[in-house]
Amino acid sequence: MAVDAEAFRAAMARWATGVTIVTARAGDEVHGMTVSDFSGLSLDPPLVIVCADKSSNTLGVVDKGRCFAVNVLAAGQETLSNKFASKKQEWERFEGLACETAATGAPLIPGALVAFDCDLEMNHDGGDHVILVGRVREIVQRPGDPLVYFAGAYRGLAPA
Ligand SMILES: Cc1cc2nc3c(=O)[nH]c(=O)nc-3n(C[C@H](O)[C@H](O)[C@H](O)COP(=O)(O)O)c2cc1C
């Protein structure tokens, strides 16, 4: 029996995740979008995966530039998450953000908990998404708590 799309979406929403902004650069073009489908894949070599909707503009920039950075958002960065999930123009998404540039050229989102700067190793077809495999070239970290996403809403960590 085929799984109903809405039921599948609702079930997946029960999976608590962090929130990232995946940024990319191809020449002068920079782009970024909010992504929760991110995971570590391999320690040796250091690989991560990101699942990108085939209709996303970010995917085209990753394909052209062959790199991306995964910026893990900190508690309190909901506004940034919403900005990069919207269909705003690039300049509006990055407006007011003093981004540093990672080794690959991808923008680093200020205030992120950790950024994984990656060369695109390969991509795989994944239904209506593409699975991007990145080889981590550089890691930038700072202390803090993460932004959490669960059941369609932003949350924070409960005290331990
Ligand atoms: C919390 C959250 C998580 C998201 N996770 C993903 C994701 O894992 N993959 C994806 O392709 N889009 C994801 N999106 C949707 C994209 O951020 C959104 O479609 C964005 O507008 C794509 O921008 P672009 O087309 O300019 O690249 C997420 C949105 C939100 C709010």
Side-chain angles (χ1 to χ4, degrees):
M1 194 171 64
V3 171
D4 174 74
E6 271 317 303
F8 181 54
R9 190 193 295 270
M12 286 308 301
R14 309 296 296 170
W15 172 240
T17 66
V19 183
T20 78
I21 294 175
V22 172
T23 55
R25 175 186 297 274
D28 289 339
E29 192 182 3
V30 289
H31 207 85
M33 71 166 173
T34 302
V35 162
S36 55
D37 296 336
F38 160 66
S39 180
L41 173 65
S42 160
L43 276 179
D44 186 15
L47 301 175
V48 298
I49 57 171
V50 162
C51 302
D53 195 305
K54 284 180 179 168
S55 70
S56 68
N57 297 309
T58 305
L59 188 55
V61 183
V62 172
D63 266 341
K64 270 190 275 177
R66 311 300 295 171
C67 68
F68 60 89
V70 183
N71 300 266
V72 176
L73 296 186
Q77 292 192 300
E78 296 91 325
T79 306
L80 268 186
S81 171
N82 288 334
K83 236 186 192 184
F84 280 83
S86 70
K87 289 294 172 191
K88 286 182 189 296
Q89 298 289 316
E90 250 359 82
W91 68 267
E92 284 181 278
R93 296 189 196 192
F94 284 98
E95 195 180 20
L97 280 183
C99 292
E100 289 183 17
T101 302
T104 61
L108 293 173
I109 300 292
L113 270 192
V114 54
F116 299 88
D117 184 33
C118 303
D119 292 305
L120 180 64
E121 183 90 353
M122 62 188 98
N123 49 26
H124 298 282
D125 188 69
D128 55 12
H129 279 56
V130 170
I131 304 162
L132 301 170
V133 179
R135 181 185 281 247
V136 180
R137 198 201 276 199
E138 187 182 54
I139 296 172
V140 182
Q141 299 192 64
R142 62 178 56 77
D145 287 332
L147 181 62
V148 175
Y149 197 68
F150 177 71
Y154 297 108
R155 315 279 180 120
L157 286 185

